[in-house]
Amino acid sequence: KQWYQRRVVVNTYLAICASCVTAMVTSHLVHGGKINMLEVQNATLAGGVSIGMSCSYNVEPWVPVLIGGLAGALSSVGYGHISGWMENLGAMDSAGATQLHGIPGIFGALAAGIVVLATTNNQYFAADTVWTEMDDNTNGKQFGMIIASILATVAIAVATGILNG
């Protein structure tokens, strides 16, 4: 099924391109007219992180562009503002994992949930997917699983962060 692979590649590429553009603009705004290139490099990757859960979804091209673009902006704002706030609280994130993976990952999962809820007849995945009664996978149930995965991920991240100092 090459169309499936192409969809994943195109959606991921669109999200990363959009995150690159919005990261540049956001970095310029956050830093008073200057661009922080390390921040932009990391925020560019945020588009790929954010589209990870929904890269195989059967959506219009504007959806991965929107998801990636917002993730790039959120990541850039995270580097510009949230990292300092976290340091003031005593939280150490020397690699910027929160801004590169945490914020865009949670945002991407929420965006995937919104895409699932916005579709009808479980057609967010593929136009030719046949759902049987055994699947019992409604849009609401899928959204619930996405929210549960976010909560579990955050709980594990917080617990391991506290254990490791």
Side-chain angles (χ1 to χ4, degrees), residues 3-33:
W3 59 267
Y4 180 75
Q5 292 171 338
R6 279 188 230 132
R7 181 183 329 140
V8 169
V9 170
V10 169
N11 284 347
T12 303
Y13 186 75
L14 289 172
I16 291 172
C17 289
S19 69
C20 181
V21 171
T22 59
M24 295 282 280
V25 171
T26 306
S27 181
H28 178 75
L29 295 172
V30 167
H31 298 291

Side-chain angles (χ1 to χ4, degrees), residues 100-147:
L100 175 56
H101 297 285
I103 295 169
I106 291 170
F107 168 72
L110 290 172
I114 291 168
V115 169
V116 166
L117 287 178
T119 59
T120 57
N121 299 325
N122 296 328
Q123 293 303 318
Y124 56 89
F125 188 66
D128 62 350
T129 301
V130 178
W131 297 97
T132 66
E133 288 184 28
M134 289 181 63
D135 290 331
D136 188 34
N137 195 22
T138 64
N139 291 31
K141 184 176 178 182
Q142 184 66 29
F143 180 76
M145 288 188 276
I146 290 170
I147 296 301

